[in-house]
Amino acid sequence: MAIETVGQTTGPADETPPRDPRDGYRPRSAWSPGRLLRSVVGIDEVLLTRVPEERPRYTRQGALVVATAVMAALSMGYALRSVFDAPWAVVVLIALVWGVLIGILDSWLVISTNGVIGRGRRRMLLPRLLIAVVVGVIIAEPLTIRIFESAILQRIEQDYQEADKTLRSDYASCYPKAGEAAADPVKCREFRLNLPKPNDTDARKALEATRAKLSREFNAKQRILARKQRAADLECNGTSGAGRTGRAGEGVNCARLRADVNDYRTTSNIGQLSTGMADLDAQIIELSGTERVSGMKYEAQVAEAIDSEVRRQDEARPDSPGLLERMETLAALSAEKDSILLAHTFLTLLFLLIDCSPVLTKLLSRPTSYDRRLAEQLSDREEAHTVDLDRGKRVRRDADEVHAHQAELKVREHMTAASRRAGILDARREAAIRAELGAIDAERGSGPAGQD
């Protein structure tokens, strides 16, 4: 494959464009809104010049990613204000950080699919769509709660009032008013008030029991006295009948019966019984009045204690309902009213679609001209990179061979030098030996001449 040098052309400059568009492309403005939006989804502006008709598509795709990030920031801001009473500066900072993170994530979901064509396109897009759905649900719920905030807060207030009413009823059933029956003692173990014991009514009840006993005795004796008085009156009036004389006037029987009446009235202590009952009635009335005053004070103490428990329950509640409580309330409203359920469902789907739209549009549409050119460019660069790697391997292999050859030559040179030095040493050694042998021969030759 021929690799052209940047700027090198195969024909006149005005007829054949350079292979690399960067040689002839100069953007008009690096800070234009469209260029910035396209940079969010990783669009190569130089490559896009080959398919300018794709520019509006990717501009709107970048706008969708930015809109999703803004929605995420708003959602996080509302969620933080619902849970924590943090300063606005902290809320804004955290919301911006969250929006940037969601924007980066959505940007990656889109950028990672640029230039993907062929059968693996859907397999790559489906996991990214799942991630977008999860992020969309997280973003959509706080925004949906914010839309239904008035209805949610009204329902929460009603629930609070109902809880206070139930608490009052439970305490009132365990501390009933005079004459009312108390609730189940087992249930009342959970509803105890720190109150003094009410005044004892045993004294009044004892007096009432004594008075009832005296009343029964008094009534019985009154009936006996009435019978005796009637018998005496009938006898004295001359009314005939069994046991009566039938003669009017103060006779013996009349006097006897009247004396019997007077004797029974004296011996039966009817007058003392009447006086005793009157005294008991006075005491009972006095104790009843005291008990009524004490009972009113006790009921006022019970009412005040119940009010204190209700206030303590109110004070234990947060000043502003939390996000989880609002979510539960919205779920309850949705379960009760079909209109709220439909609105909640469609709003959630709307926000979900907005967040998933960048990936969803890629999944539903075919690869664009830009995708195909980007795929070609990536393929060319990969091939060029492979060629560069092969060339580098060959260069390194040739360099290794050169180094090996140079090393071999050096070894041969060293071996030749060593051989030369060894030859010189052998020659010198042989010359020395010859010299010694010559000296010996000379000495032997001069020996007999000296003897003659």
Side-chain angles (χ1 to χ4, degrees):
M1 178 179 180
I3 305 299
E4 297 180 0
T5 306
V6 175
Q8 184 178 1
T9 61
T10 58
D14 55 349
E15 296 180 1
T16 304
R19 186 176 185 277
D20 189 347
R22 289 180 177 84
D23 295 335
Y25 175 73
R26 294 295 182 269
R28 290 178 295 178
S29 175
W31 299 99
S32 63
R35 182 181 175 85
L36 291 175
L37 290 175
R38 291 190 295 273
S39 67
V40 172
V41 290
I43 298 302
D44 187 348
E45 292 293 331
V46 177
L47 184 60
L48 193 62
T49 56
R50 297 181 178 179
V51 281
E53 63 275 5
E54 301 286 350
R55 190 172 288 117
R57 175 198 297 269
Y58 290 108
T59 301
R60 286 159 178 77
Q61 194 174 78
L64 285 175
V65 174
V66 173
T68 302
V70 173
M71 285 174 48
L74 294 175
S75 176
M76 176 57 71
Y78 175 74
L80 289 175
R81 290 294 295 178
S82 301
V83 178
F84 306 105
D85 190 15
W88 275 107
V90 177
V91 172
V92 171
L93 178 61
I94 297 177
L96 288 177
V97 172
W98 175 252
V100 170
L101 290 177
I102 295 300
I104 293 173
L105 177 60
D106 286 342
S107 178
W108 171 79
L109 292 176
V110 175
I111 292 175
S112 61
T113 59
N114 287 340
V116 178
I117 58 177
R119 297 180 179 179
R121 178 182 173 84
R122 292 186 180 274
R123 288 197 302 269
M124 178 176 287
L125 287 172
L126 286 176
R128 286 159 174 76
L129 181 61
L130 179 60
I131 296 174
V133 169
V134 174
V135 174
V137 171
I138 296 174
I139 294 174
E141 193 63 20
L143 293 176
T144 307
I145 291 174
R146 179 63 182 88
I147 294 174
F148 292 100
E149 185 175 24
S150 59
I152 292 173
L153 294 180
Q154 184 179 1
R155 175 58 183 271
I156 290 175
E157 183 63 26
Q158 293 176 357
D159 292 342
Y160 286 168
Q161 293 176 0
E162 187 66 26
D164 292 344
K165 183 179 179 181
T166 302
L167 185 64
R168 288 181 184 276
S169 176
D170 291 336
Y171 275 111
S173 63
C174 293
Y175 292 88
K177 296 181 179 180
E180 297 179 357
D184 184 8
V186 177
K187 175 185 176 182
C188 291
R189 291 176 184 175
E190 302 177 4
F191 304 97
R192 293 183 178 179
L193 298 174
N194 187 17
L195 293 175
K197 188 177 180 180
N199 290 338
D200 194 3
T201 60
D202 292 341
R204 178 181 57 79
K205 292 180 179 179
L207 291 177
E208 290 176 347
T210 303
R211 203 271 184 199
K213 182 179 179 182
L214 291 180
S215 178
R216 288 193 297 270
E217 184 180 354
F218 177 80
N219 292 332
K221 290 182 177 182
Q222 276 288 96
R223 288 191 295 270
I224 294 173
L225 180 62
R227 286 197 301 271
K228 290 181 179 293
Q229 184 66 47
R230 179 174 176 75
D233 292 341
L234 291 175
E235 178 63 29
C236 294
N237 292 332
T239 304
S240 61
R244 292 190 292 273
T245 60
R247 295 188 294 271
E250 295 288 337
V252 177
N253 289 338
C254 177
R256 178 177 58 78
L257 290 175
R258 287 182 174 177
D260 186 32
V261 170
N262 293 331
D263 290 341
Y264 185 77
R265 183 180 285 113
T266 303
T267 58
S268 64
N269 297 324
I270 289 179
Q272 295 178 359
L273 288 174
S274 178
T275 303
M277 287 191 298
D279 292 340
L280 288 173
D281 288 339
Q283 295 178 29
I284 290 172
I285 291 173
E286 182 180 0
L287 287 176
S288 298
T290 303
E291 287 180 5
R292 281 195 297 272
V293 174
S294 177
M296 293 173 63
K297 292 181 179 179
Y298 180 72
E299 289 177 2
Q301 291 175 349
V302 170
E304 184 178 356
I306 292 176
D307 290 340
S308 177
E309 290 296 326
V310 173
R311 284 195 302 270
R312 187 171 66 178
Q313 178 175 270
D314 291 338
E315 292 172 357
R317 299 183 181 123
D319 296 335
S320 178
L323 182 62
L324 181 60
E325 186 175 5
R326 299 187 187 207
M327 292 173 62
E328 292 175 350
T329 304
L330 180 57
L333 289 173
S334 300
E336 294 174 1
K337 297 182 179 181
D338 293 338
S339 58
I340 296 180
L341 176 61
L342 289 175
H344 182 200
T345 302
F346 283 120
L347 284 173
T348 302
L349 290 176
L350 174 63
F351 292 132
L352 191 61
L353 286 174
I354 292 175
D355 186 72
C356 298
S357 55
V359 179
L360 193 61
T361 53
K362 278 185 167 289
L363 182 63
L364 297 178
S365 61
R366 296 180 179 180
T368 64
S369 300
Y370 175 85
D371 287 327
R372 288 190 291 270
R373 281 163 175 76
L374 180 60
E376 294 173 0
Q377 179 174 292
L378 293 175
S379 178
D380 291 344
R381 290 181 178 177
E382 186 175 355
E383 292 178 3
H385 180 65
T386 303
V387 171
D388 291 339
L389 290 178
D390 292 340
R391 184 188 299 111
K393 290 180 180 178
R394 289 196 302 270
V395 170
R396 286 192 296 271
R397 185 170 58 251
D398 294 341
D400 292 339
E401 292 178 357
V402 171
H403 290 312
H405 183 65
Q406 290 177 351
E408 184 179 356
L409 291 177
K410 289 181 180 180
V411 171
R412 290 179 180 179
E413 290 178 357
H414 288 304
M415 292 178 64
T416 303
S419 299
R420 291 175 180 175
R421 288 194 296 271
I424 292 171
L425 291 176
D426 290 341
R428 290 177 180 178
R429 190 180 300 111
E430 184 177 355
I433 292 172
R434 289 177 179 176
E436 291 178 358
L437 291 176
I440 293 171
D441 292 339
E443 290 178 356
R444 288 179 179 176
S446 61
Q451 290 178 358
D452 292 336

